[in-house]
Every structure is written in structure tokens, then in C-alpha cells.
Amino acid sequence: DVKVTQSSRYLVKRTGEKVFLECVQDMDHENMFWYRQDPGLGLRLIYFSYDVKMKEKGDIPEGYSVSREKKERFSLILESASTNQTSMYLCASSLGRTSGSYEQYFGPGTRLTVT
Amino acid sequence: GENVEQHPSTLSVQEGDSAVIKCTYSDSASNYFPWYKQELGKGPQLIIDIRSNVGEKKDQRIAVTLNKTAKHFSLHITETQPEDSAVYFCAASIANSGYSTLTFGKGTMLLVSP
């Protein structure tokens, strides 16, 4: 089974702090994604990466950055956390260009509260 | 960019009834339409998907239909069971050879009462 793990299930940070959310997948997937999920808004794509050291902006990248130094790990960084970044953050991965499969496998999510 | 509308936002049915969730998309270039189920405390999980060269796909009690002309697609669940209770998301994508980025609908909370 594909396993996508996220470093924390719950996180509480203060406004202005630098926050790191870590995601690790164990299936050698090429593609990795970060979403945020808010009630009534569904899932919105923040950033994605289709290869090591590659990153692409999603629909709502403002206030976030990402890092992918190793294939299995994709980090989401909030440079200076703000209260409007309080949300559920979901990481996902998918196989890659030669597979023909676009299924995304999601982690359990990190609920971040910024006070 | 792509915009996906999903209805209804909540749906309550009795066990054994059918449930239908509908989505519309805006970008005629979209060619991949997955449906995800999210149970409480978990991440979404793919339950069925359809590509634009197919009009309908079934997997046991679940089916998806696609109308490219009207740009809408639907999820049909027959003989619903309490374990079908969850939030369901539709999504649309332009899937190329390497990856697809999904645009999700806002979700439908399905409640199946015994």
C-alpha cells in the first residue's frame, strides 16, 4: 500500500512564526502536491513538484514556499504564519510520467492553527 | 483557469436508496475526472475516475457518467450503506503525459441513515 505520512496531525503556531510542514511518501512517486482544505471551499492546490528540486505554483501560492531536496520528501513552508493560514493541509503524491496513472494518494492531513 | 461546481453540498438518504452528486466544469480541454471520498479524520481517497473518451464507468455500486458536450459529470451510488457516509469531491484536470493537477469541487457531505 502507498503510504503518505505528514509530520504532525495538529500544530499550533503564533503569528509571524516560520512553519514547516513535512510530507514523506514511500512509493517512489515522482509527483507531490500540497493542498489546503477549508470548509465550504474544498481542496485548493498550493504548490506541486514533478521532480526533485522542481516546483510549480498552484492556485494559491501566496504566503507559502516549498522544498523538495529528495524524491520522497516534500516540505511546505509558511515564511511568516498569519491567522488566515489556519487550515487543514493535505499532502498527496502520484506516480509520474511513464505510468499513465493520475491517481493522487493523500496523507491524513495536518490541522494548523495560527494564533 | 478551470472552475468546478458541485451540487448538492449536503445529501441525506436512507440506507438502500440511491445517491447522485453532480459536477460541472468550465474548461473544455479537461480530460480526466476523478471522484474522491474523504472519511472523517482521513485524507481523500480515489473511488472512481473517468477519462474524456468514455461516457460511463461502473465499479460495483458506484458509477460515473460524463457528458462532454454539456461539460458535466455525475457520481451515482446505488444501494447506499451507512459506510458510504463521507464527504465526496469531484475534480477535473487536463492530464498530460507526466502529471495532472486537479481542480476540486467544494464537496458533498453524504449521510446515509440506517
Side-chain angles (χ1 to χ4, degrees):
Chain A
D1 275 355
V2 176
K3 193 164 187 183
V4 179
T5 56
Q6 297 184 228
S7 51
S8 305
R9 292 301 301 269
Y10 300 94
L11 207 53
V12 180
K13 295 292 182 180
R14 293 196 179 274
T15 301
E17 280 193 83
K18 190 169 185 176
V19 181
F20 293 86
L21 302 182
E22 306 286 341
C23 175
V24 177
Q25 50 92 5
D26 66 356
M27 285 300 291
D28 202 34
H29 284 178
E30 292 183 3
N31 306 321
M32 297 188 75
F33 308 83
W34 274 108
Y35 296 88
R36 64 176 283 175
Q37 181 176 16
D38 301 288
L41 295 179
L43 283 77
R44 293 178 292 167
L45 182 64
I46 305 171
Y47 267 97
F48 66 99
S49 167
Y50 54 88
D51 203 350
V52 175
K53 297 193 185 294
M54 304 302 290
K55 59 185 180 183
E56 294 285 343
K57 292 180 180 179
D59 298 319
I60 51 164
E62 297 78 18
Y64 303 94
S65 62
V66 290
S67 173
R68 193 169 182 199
E69 296 296 318
K70 293 185 177 181
K71 191 175 185 179
E72 66 271 19
R73 187 179 298 270
F74 193 35
S75 303
L76 180 69
I77 303 156
L78 286 67
E79 295 289 343
S80 178
S82 64
T83 55
N84 62 12
Q85 293 178 311
T86 291
S87 186
M88 171 69 82
Y89 289 88
L90 290 162
C91 175
S93 69
S94 69
L95 273 166
R97 59 180 64 89
T98 60
S99 69
S101 169
Y102 303 109
E103 178 175 0
Q104 294 188 15
Y105 297 83
F106 284 83
T110 295
R111 184 165 295 281
L112 172 67
T113 301
V114 182
T115 61
Chain B
E2 176 66 276
N3 183 51
V4 177
E5 300 284 340
Q6 181 172 348
H7 299 280
S9 57
T10 58
L11 180 59
S12 293
V13 300
Q14 293 289 320
E15 184 177 359
D17 287 350
S18 295
V20 180
I21 303 171
K22 298 182 179 182
C23 290
T24 61
Y25 61 98
S26 61
D27 191 341
S28 56
S30 289
N31 59 3
Y32 174 64
F33 307 92
W35 287 87
Y36 283 80
K37 175 184 180 182
Q38 186 176 28
E39 297 176 338
L40 200 61
K42 297 183 178 180
Q45 184 173 12
L46 180 73
I47 55 171
I48 195 167
D49 57 12
I50 191 167
R51 304 199 184 191
S52 58
N53 57 349
V54 175
E56 183 175 2
K57 185 176 179 180
K58 287 184 180 179
D59 183 3
Q60 299 182 350
R61 296 186 297 109
I62 293 173
V64 58
T65 58
L66 171 65
N67 183 327
K68 285 189 295 182
T69 304
K71 289 191 279 191
H72 66 71
F73 55 113
S74 301
L75 178 71
H76 304 254
I77 306 174
T78 59
E79 301 173 19
T80 54
Q81 301 167 4
E83 51 265 39
D84 294 328
S85 295
V87 179
Y88 291 80
F89 293 97
C90 63
S93 169
I94 302 172
N96 62 28
S97 60
Y99 56 86
S100 74
T101 59
L102 301 175
T103 301
F104 285 89
K106 291 180 169 52
T108 296
M109 180 175 290
L110 174 64
L111 178 62
V112 181
S113 302

